Amino acid sequence: MRGRNDPGFIDYLMRIGNEIEPADEIEISHPMLIPYTILERSIEHLITYMYPYLNLFHHSPFKMMQRIILCPKNKFVDDMNKKLINRIPREKVVYISDDQAKHLIDQGDYVDYLNSLEPKGLLQHRLILKKIVQSFF
């Protein structure tokens, strides 16, 4: 997003990607660093840092939308979303997709497998929502 308004930043990233800029000299400011200890503890520290008052964001969801945790893979996005949604003090509602195989005889063979797939751009088979909680991706 920063690149839209900062072509110099895009050039800098391209120099790093093309190994022109030495990547070992990239400096990240201290407040942005989350120390790694144990994976779960580090993730909890990251969530607490990014969303310090998560239980208050439901009063003003736009403040929450000004913060983001970038994840390299969709699986990590899903895991992070689950952790964040579980922390919001609201009653959850679970929606399950209603799938049927074309031929009833195939119902038992394919539905469980199809429900386990999560193709990009499609909703998950099991969707958990809480009032005022919107998708984080």
Side-chain angles (χ1 to χ4, degrees):
M1 295 300 288
R2 178 178 170 186
R4 290 182 179 175
N5 300 321
D6 191 351
F9 182 68
I10 291 290
D11 292 338
Y12 175 66
L13 291 179
M14 291 302 292
R15 287 194 312 271
I16 292 172
N18 293 329
E19 298 181 4
I20 297 168
E21 189 83 28
D24 59 344
E25 294 180 19
I26 297 173
E27 197 169 314
I28 299 174
S29 64
H30 185 69
M32 293 178 63
L33 294 175
I34 302 293
Y36 182 83
T37 53
I38 298 171
L39 180 62
E40 283 301 315
R41 187 178 299 153
S42 297
I43 289 173
E44 292 300 318
H45 188 175
L46 174 64
I47 290 171
T48 303
Y49 178 80
M50 290 301 296
Y51 304 101
Y53 305 106
L54 191 61
N55 58 338
L56 300 178
F57 280 115
H58 64 272
H59 294 297
S60 179
F62 295 106
K63 288 183 180 180
M64 180 180 237
M65 293 182 340
Q66 294 173 341
R67 297 168 175 264
I68 187 170
I69 296 174
L70 294 176
C71 300
K73 296 187 176 185
N74 289 340
K75 172 75 172 114
F76 299 143
V77 171
D78 295 339
D79 292 345
M80 193 66 69
N81 282 341
K82 287 175 188 171
K83 288 179 187 305
L84 288 167
I85 288 173
N86 285 335
R87 286 178 164 223
I88 296 174
R90 296 285 187 155
E91 186 176 335
K92 68 180 176 182
V93 179
V94 180
Y95 296 95
I96 308 272
S97 65
D98 184 19
D99 302 318
Q100 292 182 354
K102 187 174 182 179
H103 303 288
L104 192 56
I105 195 165
D106 297 328
Q107 187 76 14
D109 295 334
Y110 298 114
V111 173
D112 289 338
Y113 170 70
L114 292 173
N115 290 340
S116 70
L117 300 177
E118 296 180 355
K120 184 178 177 183
L122 293 179
L123 292 177
Q124 299 171 351
H125 166 64
R126 182 183 163 107
L127 182 64
I128 300 172
L129 297 176
K130 291 186 178 182
K131 188 175 182 177
I132 305 180
V133 176
Q134 299 172 1
S135 178
F136 295 118
F137 57 88

